[in-house]
Amino acid sequence: MTVPGFARFRRYLWLLAAAAALLAASGLTQLGSAASAARAHRHRTEATAEATAEGRWQSRGGTHWVASWGASPQAAVPGDRAALGFENETIRDIVYTSVGGSMVRVRFTNAFGSRPLWIGAAAIGVQRSGAAVAPGTSFQLSFAGRRSVLIAPGSAALSDPVRLAVLPLEKLAVSVYLPFRTGPATQHVDAQQVNYLAAGAHALATRASAFRGRTRSWYFLDRVDVLSPPRVLGTVIALGDSITDGVHSPVNANARWPNDLARRLDARAGATLGVIDEGIGGNRVLNDSPCCGVNAVARFRADVADDPGAKAVILLEGVNDIGFAQHTTPLTAPNTDVSAAQIIAGYMEIIAQAHAAGLKIFGATLTPFQGARYWTPEGEAERDAVNEWIRTSGAFDGVIDFAAAVADPADPDILDPAYDSGDHLHPNAAGYRAMAQAVNLSMLMSAAGRTDRGDRTARGARRSAARHGRRARRSTARHGRRARRRSAALA
């Protein structure tokens, strides 16, 4: 017997059960979608991490050490920050690589120190922003297995390698803690880069909060090397004065002409080269000065020939030899009148040193400086004589015409206004880019023993054209002989 209303009640139960099933299915679907999304996110994250690791070249394949960054050391200048020295302070230098590699090592220098330099701790990492270091990239440096090192006056210390995979064209933070009084510091005066100072021991700090001091010089650091893959054949050293040092280029922009050249080389398919900037503001070919470093002839071995992977040199120097004759300040002494013949004799010494070290050397013409404080008509005549010799003597392995690259098309004795920083001596960022564009990359690659693909293609095309020409001449000759035989037969 059926209980009245029970059938209706069963229908209600069935509807409730169906609704519950639908809700459960919906929830499972949502959970499944969430799980799928999580898996997809994890896969994307892993893929991104793998791509970043792959882009960070490449901890695999490093085969040889190459200098990726460098700066010529200078003595402290009376009255500047370096003259005060450091004590219980950390310096964080920011540098810009030219090529990458699977490992990195750093050279610290006490070249102009008056007492032993005690490094209590040192570290390297990838700059995040300002004085901050990117998480997971900070490595403590050691020296023959020890975390501290004592560097004698006039000496340098090369760190042990660390497994930080370095990208080309990347900003690194190199930190050094100096527990004891250093005396006057070895430096590079014009970094065109903000660097950071902190009281106390903060070499391993990744945060920026302790670094409250600012400076636009580099201290106690003169080279960063990377263990590079076979694609990187070596490095080119730019030896010069303030124009090579990038004076009046934008701060923190790495807009010196050697940086622009490094970017051009990095963009190449296939083999490439690093670029090291060994320019010093106010530097001269022939004379030292308190402000402006050891002369180019004397510093060639330390700043050029000893760099690992060195293949070639670009020499742009001489305008201060000409112009400083007009100065009277003790910081630029000796303010001697130097002739074009004497500058050329200095070039010949540098060329001989380069060739003795197995390096190619390319001469760069002196850029216009009419309107600069130390310009004179006599100085202009001297620049013209030096440039004529650079272009025509054949003493260099090649010539780079920087003067033509940045001169006013209407007046080759002045900088193009579009390239003038305003002092009529130093180019602006656009001018530095124009200088880098004037460098023949195939010429540089040939210095490393690598023929550019374009050169090979051109030579192959010439050979092919010659073969086709010979075949065409032989075919024409055969047709001519056949025609003559037919004519003779008809006759």
Side-chain angles (χ1 to χ4, degrees):
M1 182 177 69
T2 304
V3 177
F6 183 73
R8 189 183 309 159
F9 179 68
R10 280 196 308 181
R11 283 198 301 271
Y12 290 149
L13 287 177
W14 183 86
L15 288 171
L16 287 170
L22 285 170
L23 287 171
S26 175
L28 287 172
T29 302
Q30 289 175 0
L31 287 172
S33 299
S36 298
R39 284 194 299 272
H41 174 73
R42 186 173 68 250
H43 291 158
R44 282 196 299 270
T45 302
E46 290 170 354
T48 301
E50 288 171 5
T52 302
E54 183 66 20
R56 192 164 273 295
W57 345 359
Q58 318 144 138
S59 340
R60 323 185 251 294
T63 60
H64 58 293
W65 287 103
V66 171
S68 182
W69 175 89
S72 183
Q74 299 172 249
V77 178
D80 71 5
R81 177 64 182 82
L84 301 175
F86 298 88
E87 182 179 15
N88 189 30
E89 292 174 84
T90 300
I91 301 167
R92 181 158 286 174
D93 290 323
I94 307 299
V95 304
Y96 184 68
T97 65
S98 59
V99 289
S102 59
M103 299 181 76
V104 63
R105 66 187 186 188
V106 177
R107 189 170 75 171
F108 296 96
T109 177
N110 193 25
F112 297 99
S114 58
R115 63 178 70 182
L117 173 68
W118 184 265
I119 293 179
I124 188 169
V126 176
Q127 184 198 31
R128 184 176 187 178
S129 64
V133 175
T137 69
S138 182
F139 288 81
Q140 183 160 13
L141 296 172
S142 61
F143 305 86
R146 298 181 179 180
R147 295 185 177 183
S148 60
V149 66
L150 187 66
I151 307 176
S155 299
L158 186 64
S159 78
D160 301 329
V162 296
R163 289 194 174 278
L164 171 63
V166 173
L167 294 175
L169 313 178
E170 180 168 53
K171 288 186 176 182
L172 301 178
V174 181
S175 306
V176 58
Y177 170 56
L178 307 165
F180 307 123
R181 186 179 297 276
T182 65
T186 298
Q187 65 176 336
H188 184 86
V189 176
D190 290 319
Q192 318 304 322
Q193 169 67 50
V194 175
N195 303 295
Y196 303 93
L197 307 174
H202 298 282
L204 299 176
T206 57
R207 294 183 178 180
S209 54
F211 291 88
R212 299 179 180 178
R214 302 287 187 273
T215 176
R216 292 191 182 183
S217 298
W218 289 303
Y219 300 106
F220 301 115
L221 177 67
D222 74 341
R223 208 179 70 215
V224 174
D225 305 333
V226 294
L227 189 66
S228 285
R231 175 180 182 250
V232 180
L233 303 183
T235 197
V236 178
I237 296 92
L239 181 64
D241 49 36
S242 57
I243 295 174
T244 295
D245 210 13
V247 167
H248 292 331
S249 64
V251 174
N252 295 343
N254 296 297
R256 313 162 191 87
W257 72 258
N259 301 139
D260 290 316
L261 178 59
R263 285 186 278 270
R264 286 189 66 205
L265 283 162
D266 180 66
R268 283 174 51 88
T272 190
L273 292 164
V275 183
I276 304 302
D277 188 338
E278 297 287 2
I280 299 178
N283 200 235
R284 288 182 277 185
V285 175
L286 299 172
N287 288 303
D288 303 346
S289 58
C291 70
C292 308
V294 176
N295 70 78
V297 173
R299 68 185 177 97
F300 183 88
R301 179 172 179 177
D303 288 356
V304 177
D306 288 348
D307 286 342
K311 297 294 183 182
V313 192
I314 298 173
L315 176 64
L316 173 61
E317 189 128 12
V319 71
N320 293 316
D321 295 77
I322 297 169
F324 277 12
Q326 309 305 314
H327 280 199
T328 57
T329 172
L331 287 178
T332 60
N335 300 305
T336 54
D337 190 6
V338 175
S339 68
Q342 289 172 304
I343 294 171
I344 290 166
Y347 288 168
M348 293 299 292
E349 287 190 55
I350 293 171
I351 292 168
Q353 289 187 64
H355 290 163
L359 307 178
K360 297 287 187 181
I361 181 165
F362 304 110
T365 52
L366 304 183
T367 53
F369 71 112
Q370 185 174 322
R373 287 181 302 167
Y374 59 21
W375 182 89
T376 63
E378 295 77 18
E380 182 60 45
E382 198 169 338
R383 183 183 77 94
D384 290 342
V386 170
N387 281 351
E388 180 66 15
W389 183 86
I390 291 170
R391 292 184 180 112
T392 63
S393 69
F396 289 103
D397 297 302
V399 173
I400 301 167
D401 204 343
F402 282 155
V406 297
D408 187 333
D411 185 351
D413 292 340
I414 65 172
L415 283 174
D416 188 324
Y419 295 151
D420 191 343
S421 67
D423 68 0
H424 312 304
L425 172 64
H426 298 96
N428 57 19
Y432 287 131
R433 285 194 298 273
M435 291 173 67
Q437 287 293 329
V439 179
N440 184 329
L441 299 188
S442 297
M443 180 176 70
L444 294 186
M445 298 308 298
S446 70
R450 178 63 61 94
T451 303
D452 187 71
R453 180 181 294 179
D455 294 341
R456 293 198 302 270
T457 302
R459 281 203 299 271
R462 288 194 295 270
R463 286 195 295 268
S464 178
R467 285 195 299 271
H468 284 298
R470 288 194 296 271
R471 289 170 185 166
R473 287 192 295 274
R474 287 196 296 270
S475 177
T476 300
R478 284 196 300 272
H479 283 296
R481 287 195 296 272
R482 289 171 185 166
R484 288 193 296 272
R485 284 197 296 269
R486 284 195 298 268
S487 298
L490 291 171

